[in-house]
């Protein structure tokens, strides 16, 4: 698949020169797809993503298989890909047991998963926010002691399906707690996709005031209302250089079933490359990979860029 | 259809307080839909759009019926809606004959349709760029003499399916020509949806240098690669206050069939309202209108906001 001379490269002022894309398609994406993909196909997917130039590819989740059957094969999958050169392969660990399983397989980047709201903490983790933070604290400590890099996800940072708009200070409290327990990086999730750019900028500013530096913040936008890329652009203007995205727009949010979920990596790359921001990604190869995975899932990619580019080749 | 407490309203610095949405669904949208909609349904659509708070609703096109059968009923439609109070109803006029037909029906806002590229001028107008401008000059003059407001569309301002990236000076030349012949307003079209925010900002700056003031510029983005809203945000930062959009994302570009076409008005309104920017639009009513029209077209709306909000009500 080729991308011919477009988009035209025109930088804008004061944006980062390079963005690190944290690719979540293999984990967050496949976790939310109905069809369960065999481990060999997942491994091939991750190898193709690496071949397309992605260097941070979230690989799987060591949650209990009962909760996420789509990722029940983490033990089988991880050894198939852990030798990929030059690629970071973070994995999700919900608790001590998950961390033990991940470390036993040689994982050196893990992620914990917190919520900014009580309703989602209850629904997703069956704990209060503070109870979940108490569970994560020793997990993060042990991961750091084992030399692992730790990412802290914070979901529902902007809106919550039960609670509506989420107060900024509530998000900041969870972020600072994760920072204080030793997380190297945070990912601010707009799990239901409701945020708009002013809201994003205000949260980023508040976090800076609370001494959460921008260089430890990643943004994780969903495209439920079509806002993900505008929010990303605002975050870039603030200086954010880590952006989560999902190849082909894989996955969604189980709490907003009708809708598109993750920002598609291809749509993101189109914008970044147009802005002259380096990503290391080959958009043609990435799009071909998403088309290949869409065939395995038996549904078209929701990514607008994937649809436009794959049509062109026909 | 109700929109409950989201998006959270958080303004960003230095954005306009109010944006005028130039609604193109009834013209640009329906013109590019396969199914031909009866005039009575179009009239009802326009009335519902007005009831949702839109105040500039492009109604139809006085092109030759042979070229655009979807809008062949302009003479029948226009009298059905021309009495809507407080609503501007611009109509497209491709030439002298079209202008005569529009003025005879009492139209007081017309639009001419130029191209920034030779390839598209040839494909769409069967003329060179300069030949088409020569055709428009007396049309614009006569429209102005008749007291009408004139909008000049410029298509392919960022990329062209045959020519690739479009040189900025080429776009500026067409824009200044339209200004000089008396157009009150310009609409910069990203007809194939390839632009990214830096490109948008550079064109807007160049036009200002060429003494095309920002307050006579509207932006018209397509969502083919998912970039429309990010581009709109950048344009707002530049001071643009007129944004074209299509209710429910109706229509597309016949030269990029696979793909989404116009920016959906609902996705735009979600962002603008989140930013605290006034539009006068009731998002719930607008979404209900798009769902109603989607039923007439027998296909789901491609607007992410329409899909998310209409699912919520089920």
């Amino acid at each position: 698949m080729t991308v011919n001379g477009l988009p035209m490269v025109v930088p804008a002022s004061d944006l980062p020169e390079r963005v690190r894309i944290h690719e979540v398609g293999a984990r967050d994406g496949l976790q939310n797809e109905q069809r369960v993909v065999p481990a060999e196909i997942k491994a091939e997917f991750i190898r193709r993503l690496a071949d397309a130039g992605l260097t941070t590819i979230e690989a799987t989740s060591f949650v209990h298989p009962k909760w996420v059957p789509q990722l029940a094969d983490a033990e089988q999958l991880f050894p198939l890909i852990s030798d990929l050169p030059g690629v970071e392969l973070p994995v999700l660990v919900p608790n001590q047991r998950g961390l033990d399983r991940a470390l036993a397989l040689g994982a050196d980047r893990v992620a914990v998963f917190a919520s900014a709201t009580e309703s989602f903490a209850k629904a997703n983790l069956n704990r209060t926010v503070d109870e979940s933070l108490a569970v994560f604290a020793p997990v993060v400590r042990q991961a750091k002691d084992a030399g692992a890099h730790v990412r802290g996800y914070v979901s529902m940072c902007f809106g919550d399906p039960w609670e509506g708009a989420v107060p900024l200070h509530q998000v900041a409290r969870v972020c600072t707690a994760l920072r204080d327990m030793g997380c190297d990086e945070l990912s601010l999730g707009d799990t239901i996709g409701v945020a708009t750019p002013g809201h994003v900028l205000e949260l980023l500013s508040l976090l800076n005031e609370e001494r959460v530096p921008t260089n430890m913040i990643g943004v994780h936008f969903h495209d439920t209302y079509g806002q993900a890329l505008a929010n990303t652009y605002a975050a870039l203007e603030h200086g954010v250089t880590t952006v989560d995205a999902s190849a082909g727009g894989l996955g969604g949010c189980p709490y907003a079933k009708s809708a598109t979920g993750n920002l598609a990596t291809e749509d993101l790359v189109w914008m970044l490359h147009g802005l002259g921001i380096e990503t290391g990604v080959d958009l043609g190869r990435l799009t071909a990979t998403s088309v290949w995975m869409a065939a395995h899932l038996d549904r078209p990619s929701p990514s607008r860029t994937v649809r436009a580019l794959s049509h062109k080749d026909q």
Side-chain angles (χ1 to χ4, degrees), chain A residues 18 72 81 114 134 154 230:
Chain A
R18 189 175 177 86
I81 47 154
V154 185

Side-chain angles (χ1 to χ4, degrees), chain A residues 23 26-27 30 38-51 54-62 71 73-92 105-109 292:
Chain A
E23 169 59 46
R27 197 278 303 167
L30 293 182
E40 292 74 18
I41 299 294
K42 285 176 184 154
E44 176 69 14
F45 181 45
I46 290 168
R47 276 193 293 269
R48 289 182 185 224
L49 293 171
D51 189 51
L54 290 157
T55 52
T56 304
I57 305 174
E58 200 163 291
T60 187
S61 174
F62 288 89
L71 304 183
D73 57 6
E75 252 90 10
Q76 192 188 343
L77 169 64
F78 198 77
L80 296 177
I81 47 154
S82 55
D83 62 342
L84 271 172
V87 178
E88 297 167 348
L89 294 164
V91 295
L92 218 62
L105 287 170
D108 60 2
R109 297 180 82 92
W292 171 87

Side-chain angles (χ1 to χ4, degrees), chain A residues 27 31 60-65 67-68 71 74 91-102 110-114 124-127 131-140 151 153:
Chain A
R27 197 278 303 167
Q31 167 177 340
T60 187
S61 174
F62 288 89
V63 293
H64 194 289
W67 301 117
V68 186
L71 304 183
V91 295
L92 218 62
V93 295
N95 50 31
Q96 187 68 46
R97 172 84 186 106
L99 178 65
D100 292 342
R101 289 167 62 204
V110 299
V112 296
F113 202 91
N124 197 41
L125 308 168
N126 199 27
R127 293 195 171 92
E131 284 166 359
S132 71
L133 292 173
V135 167
F136 293 139
V139 174
V140 173
R151 161 177 262 225
Y153 277 102

Side-chain angles (χ1 to χ4, degrees), chain A residues 1 25 120 137 195 204 258 305 313:
Chain A
M1 198 159 294
F120 190 67
L204 292 170
S258 72
T305 299
D313 275 12

